[in-house]
Structure formats: C-alpha cells, structure tokens
Amino acid sequence: MTKTQVPAVEGLFTMGDDGEDPRLIGGKGGARDSYFFPKNMGGNDPALFGETERAEVLLSNTGTIWSFTTSSYPPPKPYVITTEPFVPIVIAAVELDNEKLVVLGQMAPGIVVEDLHVGMRVKMIIDVLYEDDDHQYMVWKWEPETSGSETQKPEASAVQEGN
Amino acid sequence: MEDIAILGAGMHPWGKWGRNFVEYGAKAARDALADADVPWEDIGLVSGANTVRNGYPGWVSGSTFANALGFQGAQLSSSYAACASGATALSIARAQIHAGVCDVALVVGADTTPKGFFAPVGDDARPDDPDWLRFHMVGVTNPVYFALYARRRMELYGDTPHDFATVKAKNSRHGVHNPNARYPKEFGVEDVENSPVVADPLRLLEICATSDGGAALVVSSMEYAKSRGISDPVRVSGISTVGPTYPNAIVDMPYLASDSWNAVGDAEHTFKRDIAQVAYDEAGVGPDDLDLAEVYDLSSAYELDWYEYLGLCAEGEATKILHAGDTSIGGRIPVNASGGLGAFGEAIPAQAIAQVCELTWQLRGQAGGRQVADAKVGLSINYGMFGHGSSVIVRR
C-alpha cells in the first residue's frame, strides 16, 4: 500500500500537481511589495506597520545558490534522523528569482557539496523528510536546474549585488 | 552619556563541569565583589542574565543569584537576550545607576549546558517557532549558519579554509595564557585541518563549543567609585543593545529565510554592521581608537566578519590584517586576547559579561601572559539570535 504524502508542517508550501510546480507559500505586503516566508513568521516591514493581514502568495520555485554547507553530524531533535549510519545533510541558502529573499533548504538526495557552487541555478522539489507506517512527511528541497538552462558559473558581481 | 565605573570583575572558569549554574554565578559574583572590595550589603541592584536551559531558577537569575549570596534587600532584574543577555543585564545596571535607583550594582550570568548542539528548549512541536522549525524541517544547527557565512567569504573575497584555521591557531596562542579558558592549549593550523568537518568548510576545532561558566561585574556611579577612593577606574563608555533595521538581508539564526529586500534595502544589509556603531557613537570613539577587541568568534571564519563589521579593516580585507599579525597580541589591534570563544566555548548568559571582564583586566594591566601593552580603550561585541545586538566600550 502506498503511503499518503503530507507536508511535514502545514501551510509552508504547496505540493504541486503530481510534484510539478511546487511552491513555497509566502506573504506579501499591500502598501509595498515586501515578501515574507513563512507567510506569517517573517519579520514585518515597518512601513507595513498598520497592515494586520498579509496577502498569501506563491513564491518563485527557482533561484540561485547564495551559499551552501553540510550538517555533517546528526542534528538534534526535533530533526528526525532517517538513516543509520547518518548521511550528512547538504544545505543550500537560495536567493529566489523574484522576491529578493533567501530561503534555506536541503539539497535533493545524492547531491554532495562538490556538486555545488555559489550562483548555481536550482529549482524547488518536494521530497520525503521522514515517514511512519502510514505517511510520508514531505518538505521542500533544492535540486540543480538542468533542463532549460544549464548550470552556470555566476559572475562575481552578480552574486554580490544579489539581483 | 555619563560613564559608569567597573569596580570589580570575576569569573568561574569555563569547562564542562556538570554542576548547578548557580554555583558558577555565585563564585564569579564573590570574586567580583572581592576584586571591587565592595561589601555585598552595599549592592543596590542584582542584574542577572538568564539561562533558558536550567529550569525556573534560570529564568529569574537576578533573584536566584541574590538568594544564593543571601537576600539583603537589593532590587532585582532578570533579563534574557540569548547570547546578548550579559550586555542587556549591564545596560539595565547602567540605567538604574543613572536613574539614581542604586549607586552600585552586581551584574552576573552563568550557565550549565547540555552536551552537543544547542537544540530548541522543550519537547513539544512548535511549528510557529522559527527555532523549532529550522531544526525540524531542514536540520539547520547553529554551525550551519556559521558555515554559510564562511562560504560567502570564500566566494566574495577568496578566503580559504587555511585562512579560517589561522584564526583558530591565533586565538589558541592567546588562550594558553588564560586560567579561565576551557581549552588553554595551542592548536596549529594542521591540528585544525585534521579535525573532522562539522559544517563544510568549517571543522570541529573551528566551531564554538557549548560550555559551563560564570562571569560577574561590580559597576557603580563615578561618585560611588570616588567615595571608595578609586579615582581612575576602568569605565563603561558605551553600550549597544541595538536591534535590526528592516530588511535584514543576510539570513540570521534561527530563521529559515532572510528578510526580502525587494521593496527597500539591499542584498548586503545585516544589522551586525550596525551593532558597534551605536557603542562608538555613545563613547565618542571610532575603530582607530581601539587598543583591543573581544569579538564573537562563534566560528573561526566569523571572527573575520567582525573585523569588517567593526571597521578594523575594509570589507573583504580581514585576512590581510590577520596574516599581517595586526590582530595578534603585539599587533595593531589584538582581537580575542582572552582566547575568544575558540578557547572558552560559550556559556550563553555569561559570555558578554566575560568579554567585559577581560577588557577590564586588560585595561588594568592584569592580564598576565596575554597582556596587551598600554591598553586604554577596548570594545566587546556579540549578538543574540533573533536580533539582539551587544557591544560594550570600556576605557581608562
């Protein structure tokens, strides 16, 4: 029997249609275009002081790697360790294409740090974070964007400016 | 703003002692009072820096430490600002002294830490807590942030893992001379490079450990110092407890995302650049006036960021002043003469206080084998996650 796939935490991302076009669920200010992730947890723009509600928006699911690293030792709870022995987690901070916002996430399984460079193009996928007898608990991860645009070395200035 | 006097400093050595944190704080406090030659009965305010990992007594640290020393009717304050807690506790003491609430105050913080990575406090699931979310959803430990910043330095400035290891080696040479350090041992660059990777490119010897320890200061009005016959005390001339200005574009602990700089701001803005400026402005000094600095080397590479955030060198030039020996004892602006967090590990609520203890001893010429010659102005800096800035300028 196939397990039901559910988000590990509700309200942070959409799973996409059969895994296609998954998105992070963000917030957006009304008076000016500041974006937030998670929608209601990102610190406020003081210019939006008077706005009590944020519009819900789906954020870009592509971007460039701002920096990356590993968690080479098992993180403590509430992280759920799924492999024995522990396999180092590869983590990237990714600047989303349209929102000028950097979001952390794990890289897709099988990616090692040697595969990565700052400025590399990535896209968001949905993958298993952990599972139990009935469910697979899902999370967003980043995967090198290979179809369409090849991975490219960034120009240093472009990385610095971040736009 | 008028200065306050530092009359006494005391510490409990950093280590992994596994005893009650109250014991460390009380020991540090007794040492600070003895150093100040101020009777405990004279203390009008106990300003405690809290610990969140030791149950209720840790959340009411002002009361806890006062009780351990013997309640004598002092006013009490207990503050928490993560790793900046000690500076916040000191700022409260200064404010109460200036307000005339007390003449002399005890500032004290201590911690007992669990082994291994810091983790969210409590076992309950809290998806609305960024600190819980980052561990659960991505497995982001504190060293992951340190490593992301280190990798940025490599990308932007061409820094290398060898540069980072050099910082650790430098601080370990300083720490050898510190009796309060947890690791008073000299490590070479090769030792660092042979230690296991914790968060690529950072290795075990480059990551701040979690330590037990305690630190305390006795501070007073300048009049009170004079009344005790102390005409030339080390003085606190500036304290920064500043928070971020939106948007903080460099992602900070414990968040999974940066602020967006889409509507305003720029990609390089981090409030860590603003922390020292507030203290500089208060004290009326600048980076060129400093004789030494105690900075928050949560990792070896992080120390290099602070050189630039403090204005000790231009952006991207930190490794130049490192390799020129500027930041070693004997150099232009020694950094972490105490050995820094690399030699101590971190006892969260004690850390910002310990930095000021070191500056006090340095400015008095009491730092022994790690003495910075003729030190007159010193600065400490750190920050507490979620956005608490912390910087103190002392001078004599």
Side-chain angles (χ1 to χ4, degrees), chain B residues 80-87 296 298 346 348-349 351-352 382-385 390:
Chain B
Y80 191 70
C83 304
S85 300
Y296 200 46
L298 288 168
E346 185 171 30
I348 292 174
Q351 210 62 45
N382 83 9
Y383 85 108
M385 72 173 188
S390 154

Side-chain angles (χ1 to χ4, degrees), chain B residues 55-352:
Chain B
Y56 220 133
W59 303 331
V60 291
S61 62
S63 165
T64 295
F65 294 125
N67 196 12
L69 297 169
F71 278 137
Q72 38 72 306
Q75 304 221 30
L76 304 175
S77 168
S78 304
S79 37
Y80 191 70
C83 304
S85 300
T88 300
L90 180 62
S91 76
I92 288 168
R94 182 177 69 164
Q96 295 289 54
I97 288 167
H98 284 335
V101 171
C102 65
D103 296 319
V104 55
L106 172 69
V107 180
V108 55
D111 208 0
T112 299
T113 53
K115 197 174 183 303
F117 292 116
F118 282 127
V121 175
D123 290 332
D124 51 323
R126 293 191 305 276
D128 292 336
D129 172 355
D131 194 40
W132 184 90
L133 206 59
R134 56 133 167 177
F135 280 99
H136 186 69
M137 294 300 275
V138 185
V140 178
T141 60
N142 291 355
V144 163
Y145 294 94
F146 314 156
L148 291 172
Y149 306 147
R151 176 84 58 193
R152 284 296 286 179
R153 293 199 63 84
M154 294 167 69
E155 177 67 23
L156 294 177
Y157 312 130
D159 288 12
T160 65
H162 184 269
D163 294 327
F164 305 151
T166 304
V167 173
K168 168 66 182 186
K170 185 263 296 177
N171 287 344
S172 78
R173 284 197 299 277
H174 296 168
V176 165
H177 302 286
N178 197 329
N180 289 311
R182 178 176 171 188
Y183 308 105
K185 179 178 185 308
E186 187 164 342
F187 294 99
V189 168
E190 273 184 21
D191 296 321
V192 176
E193 290 173 347
N194 287 330
S195 67
V197 170
V198 172
D200 193 285
L202 297 174
R203 294 174 179 275
L204 187 62
L205 285 177
E206 299 179 283
I207 303 279
C208 170
T210 61
S211 291
D212 296 1
L217 293 164
V218 174
V219 293
S220 77
S221 64
M222 295 305 290
E223 293 84 53
Y224 180 89
K226 214 173 287 174
S227 77
R228 310 262 334 154
I230 303 163
S231 57
D232 183 28
V234 174
R235 294 168 290 151
V236 175
S237 292
I239 302 176
S240 168
T241 55
V242 74
T245 304
Y246 184 89
N248 214 20
I250 310 270
V251 60
D252 257 332
M253 286 190 290
Y255 300 105
L256 277 178
S258 71
D259 291 340
S260 159
W261 61 96
N262 189 57
V264 64
D266 65 78
E268 297 301 317
H269 176 67
T270 164
F271 93 110
K272 291 175 222 166
R273 291 180 211 281
D274 302 333
I275 297 171
Q277 194 57 50
V278 173
Y280 284 143
D281 289 347
E282 260 194 10
V285 301
D288 293 342
D289 299 309
L290 301 181
D291 296 312
L292 78 161
E294 287 287 307
V295 314
Y296 200 46
D297 57 322
L298 288 168
S299 82
S300 54
Y302 219 143
E303 177 167 312
L304 301 172
D305 285 340
W306 290 116
Y307 295 177
E308 294 161 13
Y309 297 155
L310 291 180
L312 304 183
C313 63
E315 202 73 31
E317 308 263 297
T319 57
K320 286 188 186 162
I321 67 168
L322 170 74
H323 292 300
D326 289 11
T327 58
S328 295
I329 293 172
R332 175 173 66 87
I333 167 72
V335 173
N336 286 332
S338 67
L341 295 176
F344 275 73
E346 185 171 30
I348 292 174
Q351 210 62 45

